[in-house]
Amino acid sequence: MADAKTEVAGDAMPLFYSTPEALNPVRHGSLGLTARSDFSFARSAHAIPVVASEMPAAMRSYPIVFIGAAKAPVIITGVRQNENLFVDADGRWTGPHYVPAYVRRYPFILADDPNAPGRLTLCVDRASERVVDQLMAPFRDDKIAPFFSGAEATEATKQALAFCDQFQIDFRATRIMIDRIDAHGLFAPRQSKVTLEGGEVLNLTDFQVIDEPAFNKLSDEAFLDLRRSGALGLLYCHLASTNSWTSLVHQASLRTTKLPPVRP
């Protein structure tokens, strides 16, 4: 696996995850993943991490902004706290909107390997409702893809590892781009006020955007530095994604009933 840091700093638990465990055949030999697509775990996420490589697809459906001291890029999926407008009561992601890689990766994730400092190991969130014992297969309507066949990882586990590896590579590349953008002083704090069609007024705060006037005033040398780092694509996708605020607010106006609360 790649030698890299995870996207989580310190002891903070990543969004969606509560009990990630390093996969091994002794501990998880009888477990598997249900085949059904259920995004209920993301129902209360109004902002979700995104990496640069998926921004061209994501910008068509969601505004892209930057949050926290690390200026982490996220897509905005809701205008209210704890409400994702793109996940319905049955856990379906609203089509044809793009499902971010961070969501599709769950319940798998790469984390530091305690037995090999500096390396990462594949983990699965045991709290996920999709992680079940294969003994339950006769009692379920959906199929279960086992994690292991004896001591060997199955194809499903290998595919999960490949997906997580690629996400980690994209995450690291995105961090480099963000650092270069930040070095040129292009981030600016922003607050927005939106009014829904029913008259409800919402204040959106604590996020940052690219300062477009400052970007347009960059020197040729600075512009070339951003181009060499690959950050220009990220910048343009973010700026283009501002067009998605209108559709997001409209979708919020259409949601007239609250979804069931999600238990922590």
Side-chain angles (χ1 to χ4, degrees):
M1 297 178 197
D3 294 318
K5 293 181 180 179
T6 61
E7 70 266 27
V8 184
D11 296 325
M13 192 63 68
L15 177 67
F16 304 147
Y17 299 84
S18 61
T19 54
E21 297 176 356
L23 273 177
N24 70 72
V26 175
R27 190 174 187 182
H28 306 107
S30 66
L31 301 182
L33 193 71
T34 61
R36 61 186 171 88
S37 294
D38 185 354
F39 300 107
S40 297
F41 63 88
R43 187 182 290 140
S44 62
H46 60 274
I48 297 174
V50 66
V51 293
S53 60
E54 58 182 336
M55 287 185 185
M59 71 179 187
R60 299 184 178 96
S61 296
Y62 320 100
I64 300 170
V65 300
F66 307 89
I67 62 172
K71 301 173 178 65
V74 298
I75 57 171
I76 301 300
T77 54
V79 293
R80 300 181 183 90
Q81 289 285 331
N82 302 320
E83 181 183 55
N84 185 340
L85 296 168
F86 297 88
V87 178
D88 66 20
D90 294 322
R92 293 187 296 261
W93 199 278
T94 304
H97 298 289
Y98 175 76
V99 181
Y102 190 97
V103 171
R104 288 181 281 123
R105 179 183 64 168
Y106 187 80
F108 299 100
I109 192 172
L110 292 181
D112 293 327
D113 187 342
N115 299 317
R119 293 187 65 82
L120 303 175
T121 189
L122 183 64
C123 300
V124 66
D125 188 2
R126 286 289 281 109
S128 171
E129 293 183 356
R130 292 187 61 199
V131 177
V132 297
D133 196 304
Q134 296 179 68
L135 295 176
M136 297 300 296
F139 308 100
R140 302 182 63 92
D141 295 329
D142 49 358
K143 295 181 179 180
I144 299 175
F147 293 144
F148 296 96
S149 177
E152 298 296 321
T154 61
E155 186 61 29
T157 299
K158 293 177 182 177
Q159 290 178 4
L161 175 59
F163 190 94
C164 290
D165 269 337
Q166 186 59 55
F167 184 90
Q168 193 66 28
I169 292 170
D170 292 344
F171 172 80
R172 294 186 69 199
T174 302
R175 285 306 323 161
I176 292 173
M177 297 177 197
I178 294 296
D179 290 343
R180 294 314 306 153
I181 295 170
D182 198 18
H184 292 290
L186 295 182
F187 288 107
R190 180 64 51 84
Q191 297 183 7
S192 295
K193 179 180 292 185
V194 298
T195 303
L196 305 186
E197 293 177 8
E200 182 182 3
V201 178
L202 301 172
N203 293 307
L204 307 178
T205 61
D206 300 327
F207 66 93
Q208 298 187 61
V209 299
I210 298 300
D211 187 337
E212 191 169 2
F215 175 49
N216 291 332
K217 293 177 182 177
L218 283 178
S219 66
D220 291 346
E221 182 180 358
F223 185 86
L224 288 175
D225 177 61
L226 291 174
R227 189 182 73 176
R228 284 191 293 267
S229 72
L232 285 182
L234 185 158
L235 281 161
Y236 289 132
C237 284
H238 159 69
L239 294 173
S241 77
T242 59
N243 295 319
S244 296
W245 278 109
T246 301
S247 59
L248 182 70
V249 172
H250 176 68
Q251 191 152 339
S253 298
L254 295 178
R255 180 165 289 197
T256 57
T257 58
K258 291 185 177 181
L259 294 173
V262 178
R263 294 180 180 177

